[in-house]
Amino acid sequence: MTLCLAHADSVRAQIWVKSAVFERTHSDNAAALQMVKDGLKVFPASAKLHMMHAQLLLAQSPPSIPGAREALAVGVRKCPTAVPLWIMASRLEEKAGVRIKARALLEKARNLNPKSEEVWLESVKVEERDGSGAAKPMLSRGSPASSFCAWTAG
């Protein structure tokens, strides 16, 4: 009840995130999922809420991969500079066995966030996991800082 009152007056997305985490931890995923959906109505540009939305859909039994995919697609449209959203979307596709889509998402993320070392690093890691030998050429295309980051992370 107190959380509901806090939400009515809330002007920060962080209140919704913390409330959803509380619900997930102390209640059930359905209440947390509803909390996240309500929060996204108020704060559609909250990257954390979009990520939690996808995580909660994947935590369902059985996991809602199409729902999580859609939640992340909406998230990257609303928050194109949120690198963790792009990486999460790419990893979901890779886990689902759609590696070409994972690569395409990371390429789009690199175009929108060209200075993000995290996106370049994830792109290299996808290529390394694939074993196609495309990781080294990708490193040569990245910035020197990205190359250093990728080599030191491996």
Side-chain angles (χ1 to χ4, degrees), residues 55-118:
Q55 289 169 343
L56 289 166
L57 291 169
L58 290 171
Q60 292 177 339
S61 184
S64 177
I65 292 174
R69 187 177 278 143
E70 177 60 26
L72 291 169
V74 170
V76 296
R77 275 196 306 274
K78 298 281 185 180
C79 315
T81 60
V83 170
L85 269 172
W86 288 103
I87 291 173
M88 188 175 180
S90 172
R91 287 182 181 168
L92 175 65
E93 296 302 340
E94 189 178 11
K95 188 175 182 181
V98 191
R99 197 158 281 169
I100 193 161
K101 184 150 185 186
R103 285 185 184 114
L105 283 166
L106 289 171
E107 184 175 348
K108 189 170 184 179
R110 285 193 314 268
N111 288 336
L112 292 170
N113 304 288
K115 295 181 180 178
S116 171
E117 293 181 8
E118 292 87 2

Side-chain angles (χ1 to χ4, degrees), residues 2 8 15 19 30 44 49 52 66 70 77 80 90 92 100 106 115 118-120 124 131-132 140 146 150:
T2 306
I15 297 291
S19 298
L49 285 173
M52 286 186 71
E70 177 60 26
R77 275 196 306 274
S90 172
L92 175 65
I100 193 161
L106 289 171
K115 295 181 180 178
E118 292 87 2
V119 175
W120 280 98
V124 170
S132 64
S140 66
S146 297

Side-chain angles (χ1 to χ4, degrees), residues 14 33 42 108 111:
Q14 187 177 10
L33 184 58
V42 181
K108 189 170 184 179
N111 288 336

